[in-house]
Amino acid sequence: MKGRGRVRLNVGGRVFETTAATLASAGRDTMLGAMLDASWNHGGDGDGEGGVDEYFIDRDPECFAVLLDLLRTGGLHVPPHVADGVLCREALYYGLLDRVRAARWGEFDGDRLRLAASVAGSAAGDGTAVRAAPDGGCCVAHGGAVRLYNWMLEERRPVYLDHAPVNDAAYLDEATLLVAARERPGRRDGGVAAFSALTGDLRHRFRVAHDRQARSFTPGALVFDHRCKVFASCKGRFNEYGIGVWDCTTGEQADFFYEPPGCALGDADKLQWLDATNALMVATLFPKTDNCFIGLLDFRDKNVVWSWSDAGMAASLDDKRVLHAIAMEDERSVCVINQYDDLGFLDIRSNAGGVRWRSRSKLTTRKKKAPHGEETCYPKLAAHGGQLFASTNDTISVFSGPDHVLTSTLRGSDAGAICDFSIGGDRLFALHNEENVVDVWETSPPPVI
């Protein structure tokens, strides 16, 4: 190719001149990188001034200027007159959408989060759950519908379940959403299904069979492991309580862990797969049940290898009820939170001992009471990147280090208490119940030097 050091691009009538190295930095799998690949392209017009290869691209020159600067400097600087949607459309054409997305926000750090956006829900009624997508988008469950948003926070076509209430949702990948829906009285419309996260279309229904007979069921919590096995807590009509397992590749039921005596599995609020332990954490929590149960299930020999319950403990006025639980990333302990916003820890390496409660943490300074008759938002927990996150009222507290020291407090829009939050795609999404608003928190990208 002539003039391989310099390349001239005529984009929509505006001429840009850059180097082949700058275009090659986009990657061979992009349109700009492929232009320099001799095996793909026979070259541009070599009759340009000074023998420099020249290409004509019939696209928006304003957006191209932003994208070329991104390749040159690594920073994204968007003029006020360039709309985000137009820029992303052009970035998709050039194969640079992932590069633009990466430049928008930095690697997730709970101590450096900033409120980037607040998205008002368009569905009637309060949202019940929010889930982060791997690509930085999210979904919000509202009754019998799941609202889908791409990473630009533009609403996609929703998932409708014909009024069957949604209990949980999980992104299998950025294009596939798993939904668990409650069975309605007299209707066999509950179960687990996979939907396209791009179009909202149904892809597959996961069936449950007992004694080779298909059964209707109501799933609760959802999770999947690194081998693409899907797990769901299940309640059948004929006391078939336990954990259902499906193979995502075939879509067929792979297993069912029936609920043993004293282990509340079918009503589980929280499921979490532990990769290193090769076990499933199951947590059934107050107020769904009077007694809390947390256990680790080994599916290889159908055994409960560790468990804790507050059943049989003496009740008192100061009785601490576990409202949420999360296995820590080192898989040595489970963190729990009670109605007083205290954090506690259970050692899962031993069946002896109870919860090690910390002193009253007082995670928030503004304790808001729910109006009479309004449903309370219970605290939630998450662990990510070595940090622990806890939502209480309208605030999310961030704890860091081996001693879980409070290092940051996130308080966003004044839209009521946080009923759920989720971390993924280097973003944190917090769902407020009163105004049906999702706050989006991001880490600012590092400065370009």
Side-chain angles (χ1 to χ4, degrees):
M1 181 184 293
K2 295 180 182 180
R4 187 163 181 81
R6 291 161 53 197
V7 180
R8 187 175 293 122
L9 301 159
N10 184 331
V11 182
R14 181 175 166 185
V15 177
F16 299 84
E17 193 162 320
T18 186
T19 65
T22 297
L23 297 182
S25 68
R28 292 187 62 184
D29 58 344
T30 68
M31 179 258 199
L32 296 176
M35 288 170 56
L36 305 179
D37 191 337
S39 63
W40 182 87
N41 197 329
H42 294 295
D45 183 0
D47 295 331
E49 184 179 335
V52 177
D53 286 313
E54 183 170 328
Y55 298 82
F56 177 77
I57 305 174
D58 191 18
R59 304 295 295 190
D60 187 323
E62 294 289 340
C63 291
F64 185 79
V66 175
L67 299 174
L68 183 58
D69 183 64
L70 174 62
L71 294 177
R72 286 169 171 164
T73 68
L76 185 66
H77 307 284
V78 185
H81 63 274
V82 175
D84 281 349
V86 176
L87 177 64
C88 291
R89 180 197 67 196
E90 294 298 292
L92 179 63
Y93 173 80
Y94 293 109
L96 297 175
L97 192 57
D98 286 341
R99 185 75 67 94
V100 169
R101 181 167 50 207
R104 287 280 181 147
W105 60 89
E107 185 177 354
F108 189 88
D109 182 348
D111 289 327
R112 297 196 301 115
L113 293 175
R114 61 179 176 85
L115 182 61
S118 294
V119 182
S122 57
D126 293 337
T128 56
V130 62
R131 296 291 179 264
D135 64 349
C138 73
C139 71
V140 181
H142 301 265
V146 182
R147 300 282 172 174
L148 303 169
Y149 299 87
N150 63 18
W151 70 270
M152 294 179 288
L153 306 178
E154 297 172 335
E155 189 168 359
R156 289 171 166 161
R157 181 182 169 192
V159 170
Y160 287 115
L161 300 176
D162 191 25
H163 306 292
V166 175
N167 281 341
D168 201 1
Y171 280 93
L172 187 63
D173 52 52
E174 63 184 50
T176 307
L177 181 71
L178 304 175
V179 177
R182 192 184 318 157
E183 186 179 51
R184 292 178 293 173
R187 303 280 295 272
R188 293 174 176 263
D189 52 0
V192 178
F195 293 85
S196 168
L198 306 178
T199 65
D201 294 328
L202 175 66
R203 287 182 172 175
H204 182 74
R205 289 188 181 274
F206 297 94
R207 310 290 184 182
V208 163
H210 301 284
D211 298 326
R212 299 184 179 182
Q213 297 291 322
R215 304 287 191 185
S216 61
F217 69 103
T218 289
L222 279 173
V223 76
F224 58 90
D225 66 8
H226 59 280
R227 296 170 298 181
C228 271
K229 288 288 197 316
V230 175
F231 302 83
S233 54
C234 299
K235 295 169 59 177
R237 290 188 174 188
F238 302 98
N239 295 321
E240 299 130 340
Y241 282 29
I243 305 296
V245 188
W246 297 268
D247 187 322
C248 273
T249 303
T250 64
E252 299 299 321
Q253 182 179 341
D255 206 344
F256 197 92
F257 194 120
Y258 288 94
E259 181 176 290
C263 300
L265 304 184
D267 280 318
D269 307 82
K270 172 73 177 180
L271 299 181
Q272 183 179 352
W273 180 258
L274 309 184
D275 284 329
T277 310
N278 200 28
L280 181 72
M281 188 198 81
V282 179
T284 306
L285 307 165
F286 185 85
K288 179 175 282 190
T289 59
D290 291 334
N291 296 115
C292 306
F293 169 84
I294 304 174
L296 295 184
L297 310 185
D298 187 338
F299 279 79
R300 292 167 294 187
D301 57 4
K302 297 290 183 66
N303 188 29
V304 180
V305 295
W306 175 90
S307 66
W308 171 87
S309 175
D310 63 2
M313 294 184 181
S316 69
L317 293 176
D318 294 325
D319 193 23
K320 297 180 178 181
R321 293 289 192 177
V322 172
L323 302 180
H324 203 243
I326 189 80
M328 301 303 290
E329 290 174 303
D330 60 9
E331 300 188 10
R332 296 178 180 178
S333 62
V334 171
C335 179
V336 297
I337 189 168
N338 64 21
Q339 72 270 38
Y340 304 115
D341 300 339
D342 296 326
L343 297 179
F345 294 88
L346 289 158
D347 189 341
I348 62 177
R349 296 169 295 179
S350 170
N351 274 307
V355 180
R356 293 180 290 107
W357 292 106
R358 293 172 52 150
S359 60
R360 183 72 63 84
S361 52
K362 296 187 183 299
L363 302 184
T364 66
T365 56
R366 297 190 301 173
K367 195 78 172 177
K368 297 173 68 176
K369 286 187 176 181
H372 180 69
E374 184 176 314
E375 185 177 355
T376 302
C377 284
Y378 295 103
K380 298 290 178 68
L381 297 169
H384 188 89
Q387 295 177 307
L388 177 65
F389 299 78
S391 67
T392 53
N393 300 295
D394 61 349
T395 301
I396 295 177
S397 301
V398 185
F399 301 85
S400 304
D403 295 327
H404 310 296
V405 177
L406 178 63
T407 53
S408 297
T409 300
L410 310 178
R411 183 176 286 120
S413 57
D414 190 17
I418 296 171
C419 61
D420 197 19
F421 74 98
S422 180
I423 301 172
D426 283 324
R427 277 174 161 171
L428 184 150
F429 299 88
L431 175 62
H432 297 262
N433 74 325
E434 288 182 14
E435 301 295 334
N436 196 14
V437 168
V438 176
D439 282 344
V440 184
W441 296 82
E442 302 170 356
T443 302
S444 298
V448 178
I449 301 175

